Amino acid sequence: MKRNTKEDILIAALNLFAEKGFDGVSVRDIAEEVGIRQSSLYKHYESKQDIFDNILIRMEEQYQRMTLEVRAPQGAMQDVAKAYEIITTEELKEIARGMFFYWTESDYASRFRKMLLVEQYKSEEKSRLYHEYLTDGPLKFMAELFRLLVERECFIQEDWEFLALEFYSPIIFLMARYDSGAEREVIIRQLNQHIEHFAAHYRKD
C-alpha cells in the first residue's frame, strides 16, 4: 500500500504539538518523526503554520463525520430543536457517549484537544480555537438549543444559558477525570447518570 506522506506529516505534527507545544516543535522535528528530509516535507506544506492550518481543516472534516456517525441532529437550529424535542433519553445518552469518547479516545481529536488545552495559555489563536471547540462554542450552541426547547415547552421555564452550563459542565469535568485515568466503565456510568438526571429534572413529560 502506497504511503500517504501528506497525511503522515499531519499526524506526526499533531502528536508532537500535543506533547511539546506548537512553539516547541520545528519543521525539522516533524520531518524526522515522519522519517523524511525537511526538504521533502516542504513539497507538501509551505511551513509549520501551513501544517497547523491543515490540521484544523482535517479536524473540522472529522468532527462533521463524527456528528453523523453518532446520529446527532443536523441542520438549522429550528430543525435540530424539533429533533431533540422527540428524542428519547436513551438516544440522547448514546449521542453524548459518542461525542465524549470521540474527544477522549479518537487519536486525532483527543490529541487536538490536549494540544489546545495547553496552547490556550500561549497563543491568542489557540485560545480562540480551544474556546470555539470546547467551551464557548458548545455552550453557545446549547444555549440556543435550550432556548428553543423552552419556547416549545419541552423543557421547564429556566434560563437557557444556565441550562447549557448545567448540561455541559459535568461532561467537561468527566473528560478531565478520564484523562487522569478514571476507569471507562465508571465514566460511562456517571455520564449516563448525568444525562438521566438532567432529563428528569428539566425536561417536561
Side-chain angles (χ1 to χ4, degrees), residues 77-112:
M77 284 304 298
Q78 289 286 350
D79 296 328
V80 172
K82 288 179 183 178
Y84 275 111
E85 181 178 354
I86 61 174
I87 205 169
T88 67
T89 300
E90 287 302 315
E91 289 170 333
L92 182 58
K93 287 193 291 186
E94 288 181 11
I95 293 171
R97 288 195 300 268
M99 290 188 170
F100 183 93
F101 288 113
Y102 168 74
W103 282 114
T104 55
E105 293 186 346
S106 163
D107 285 343
Y108 203 93
S110 64
R111 288 187 176 96
F112 180 81

Side-chain angles (χ1 to χ4, degrees), residues 49-65:
Q49 184 61 48
D50 187 30
I51 294 172
F52 185 82
D53 292 343
N54 277 273
I55 286 174
L56 292 182
I57 293 171
R58 182 60 51 84
M59 184 66 215
E60 188 62 28
E61 292 171 350
Q62 287 201 3
Y63 183 79
Q64 292 301 323
R65 283 200 300 269

Side-chain angles (χ1 to χ4, degrees), residues 2-121:
K2 187 177 180 181
R3 182 182 188 186
N4 188 340
T5 305
K6 194 176 180 75
E7 178 70 11
D8 290 346
I9 292 169
L10 287 188
I11 299 299
L14 181 56
N15 291 342
L16 289 170
F17 293 157
E19 179 184 348
K20 299 179 180 181
F22 182 80
D23 292 336
V25 176
S26 67
V27 173
R28 181 183 297 276
D29 293 331
I30 298 169
E32 289 178 354
E33 185 72 13
V34 178
I36 60 175
R37 294 179 180 179
Q38 188 171 342
S39 58
S40 298
L41 184 147
Y42 284 122
K43 294 178 182 177
H44 300 280
Y45 299 101
E46 296 178 358
S47 63
K48 186 170 70 167
Q49 184 61 48
D50 187 30
I51 294 172
F52 185 82
D53 292 343
N54 277 273
I55 286 174
L56 292 182
I57 293 171
R58 182 60 51 84
M59 184 66 215
E60 188 62 28
E61 292 171 350
Q62 287 201 3
Y63 183 79
Q64 292 301 323
R65 283 200 300 269
M66 179 274 296
T67 59
L68 292 172
E69 288 172 2
V70 302
R71 299 182 181 180
Q74 309 286 319
M77 284 304 298
Q78 289 286 350
D79 296 328
V80 172
K82 288 179 183 178
Y84 275 111
E85 181 178 354
I86 61 174
I87 205 169
T88 67
T89 300
E90 287 302 315
E91 289 170 333
L92 182 58
K93 287 193 291 186
E94 288 181 11
I95 293 171
R97 288 195 300 268
M99 290 188 170
F100 183 93
F101 288 113
Y102 168 74
W103 282 114
T104 55
E105 293 186 346
S106 163
D107 285 343
Y108 203 93
S110 64
R111 288 187 176 96
F112 180 81
R113 178 174 61 86
K114 291 171 184 176
M115 175 190 68
L116 292 184
L117 187 62
V118 174
E119 287 295 311
Q120 65 172 315
Y121 302 108

